[in-house]
Amino acid sequence: MSEERTGNATVGGNPITLIGPELKVGDKAPEFTVNKDLMEEKSLSDYAGKIKLISVVPSLDTKVCEAQTRRFNEEATKFGDQVAVLTISVDLPFAQDRFCSVAGIDHLDTLSDYRTRTFGKNYGVLIKELQLDMRSIFIIDQENTIRYVQYVKEMTNHPDYEAALHALRSLI
């Protein structure tokens, strides 16, 4: 049974339960398996040797999630090949592909946690009540050590983009 954490986050002001550990700077990044499409899986090891910015959103079909994904897609153009920018949600890969083609998102990988929710469970962002992943940002260095963590306290709020980007730039 995975650890459950209460009192750490809300949706519309209502408390929610997050499943999984609360990761901290200095922790080893847990492995995960997510889907690039219905058949192709991706894991942390697929991005070996790169700095990883992982932007987690509940669903791409909401205004805040769309804005977060657009912002990191734009920023991804500035970092080159040494940084992998990933957006993870539980949206089905079909929905992610549709969103990206309509929104012009083409500088980051959208990955789906729909099948096993291992990312959500391993990174402590799976919302028990909704089975969505809570808005958060993780920056992981080339050795898979977490260098920045931001668990957004209220799901409808934006993350602190500047703090995350500052942490990322400090690794480049």
Side-chain angles (χ1 to χ4, degrees):
M1 175 101 186
S2 292
E3 172 186 351
E4 292 186 3
R5 302 180 347 263
T6 57
N8 294 322
T10 58
V11 175
N14 298 308
I16 56 173
T17 303
L18 297 177
I19 297 175
E22 183 174 351
L23 300 177
K24 297 185 179 359
V25 170
D27 288 348
K28 269 302 192 199
E31 190 56 70
F32 58 84
T33 301
V34 290
N35 284 79
K36 177 67 180 155
D37 57 35
L38 286 184
M39 300 304 290
E40 182 185 0
E41 293 182 337
K42 291 283 191 175
S43 66
L44 182 64
S45 59
D46 288 315
Y47 300 95
K50 293 183 180 274
I51 299 167
K52 281 93 39 198
L53 183 155
I54 302 176
S55 171
V56 184
V57 298
S59 176
L60 292 168
D61 286 320
T62 66
K63 288 181 181 181
V64 177
C65 297
E66 178 180 353
Q68 182 174 333
T69 303
R70 285 181 182 275
R71 175 70 186 269
F72 287 124
N73 183 66
E74 179 184 315
E75 295 293 340
T77 65
K78 302 173 185 174
F79 298 119
D81 291 343
Q82 64 183 336
V83 177
V85 180
L86 317 176
T87 292
I88 297 178
S89 72
V90 295
D91 294 310
L92 290 174
F94 300 120
Q96 291 179 333
D97 287 346
R98 177 194 46 75
F99 170 82
C100 289
S101 64
V102 169
I105 304 296
D106 56 2
H107 298 295
L108 54 78
D109 286 352
T110 51
L111 303 168
S112 178
D113 198 21
Y114 87 97
R115 187 177 290 164
T116 63
R117 306 244 184 339
T118 61
F119 181 87
K121 292 171 190 171
N122 293 352
Y123 282 71
V125 297
L126 181 62
I127 302 170
K128 180 179 182 179
E129 297 83 355
L130 303 174
Q131 291 299 297
L132 297 173
D133 288 343
M134 184 66 177
R135 186 176 320 285
S136 51
I137 299 172
F138 300 89
I139 296 176
I140 302 167
D141 69 16
Q142 298 94 325
E143 288 79 39
N144 289 335
T145 300
I146 297 173
R147 297 299 177 193
Y148 179 85
V149 177
Q150 183 181 152
Y151 291 102
V152 178
K153 299 295 183 192
E154 165 57 47
M155 187 171 80
T156 61
N157 290 345
H158 286 269
D160 184 340
Y161 299 109
E162 294 309 318
L165 292 168
H166 176 75
L168 178 62
R169 287 184 199 107
S170 74
L171 296 175
I172 298 175

